[in-house]
Amino acid sequence: DKYACWCEATLGRKAVDIDNAKATLEKLAVSIPKLAAEVSSNDADVEHLKRELAQNLEATESATGVRDSENTEYQGTKADSENCVGALEAAVRALSGAGAGKKAGFMSISSRQAELMSVAAGIRQVIAKDTVVRKVQRRDLDALRHFVERPADFAGPSPAGSSFSQVGNNPFGDYAPKSTQIQGILKGMYDSMLSDMEKNHGEESNSQKAFQELMATKQEELKDLQATLESHTLGKAEKAKMLADSKVERDDTEAQQKADETFFEATKDGCKVKAEVWNDRSRLRTEELQG
């Protein structure tokens, strides 16, 4: 009787274990492929985010390089323009009689000549620049070259008997129209270059502002991408661990189920044999008592 009770309890317990194992394996058969798909999807997401991060950094580096190049060019142009504007301003002031050394409305011819020679040297550098030459008319350029080559012709009327500034040596006429013409050309160039400098400064300011706005946008994108990548990487690791654990659980459950089924069958057969033996002994004992 005790053995029969043991058989019944043991077989019942093993039957429950086997049923539970089957239920667990059915769940794992669904969850494992799902986890594998999620891990694969996370892998793709992580790789995509890494590419976007690389593109963000590349775009930032490229934009920075372009901005640096533009700013370097602007600074060089600005320095040249400032030098040209300074030379033009000095020339206009000298030709208008506002140069240093003027006393009571009169400057000596020698002083005037020395000042204009200095100014002419500055204008020579100005008209040597292709960017300037392209903006000056040919006739005006010829007049400027005459000024640069013979600045003494623009020193003003010479004293009586002096040949310093004689009309016969002046292809542009007497002093007054010649001086006025050169002043007008230089003043026009001066105003034009100042206007160009203001325009270039505005364009540079706008470019810098646009660059700073772009960098701010790229920094925000970078932060979002890094945060998203971190989240997906963590999610990928968690899903991968769950997948690995599920596979281990499946293998362990299958092995335990197989062992339980083997034990169940062996126990059931053993209990059956024992029961038959017990029945035979009981029958014989009964017959003996009746006999």
Side-chain angles (χ1 to χ4, degrees), residues 67 70-71 203-213:
R67 179 84 280 270
E70 290 175 346
N71 182 258
E203 291 177 348
E204 170 64 15
S205 296
N206 290 337
S207 295
Q208 182 63 22
K209 180 180 178 181
F211 171 73
Q212 291 173 343
E213 290 174 350

Side-chain angles (χ1 to χ4, degrees), residues 170-195:
N170 180 11
F172 294 92
D174 60 13
Y175 169 74
K178 175 176 61 177
S179 177
T180 301
Q181 179 192 22
I182 295 300
Q183 287 182 59
I185 294 171
L186 295 178
K187 184 63 167 61
M189 293 172 64
Y190 174 82
D191 292 341
S192 176
M193 293 197 74
L194 274 183
S195 177

Side-chain angles (χ1 to χ4, degrees), residues 209-226:
K209 180 180 178 181
F211 171 73
Q212 291 173 343
E213 290 174 350
L214 175 62
M215 290 299 99
T217 299
K218 287 298 180 184
Q219 283 298 318
E220 287 300 318
E221 289 179 355
L222 182 63
K223 287 181 181 178
D224 290 342
L225 286 170
Q226 289 174 333

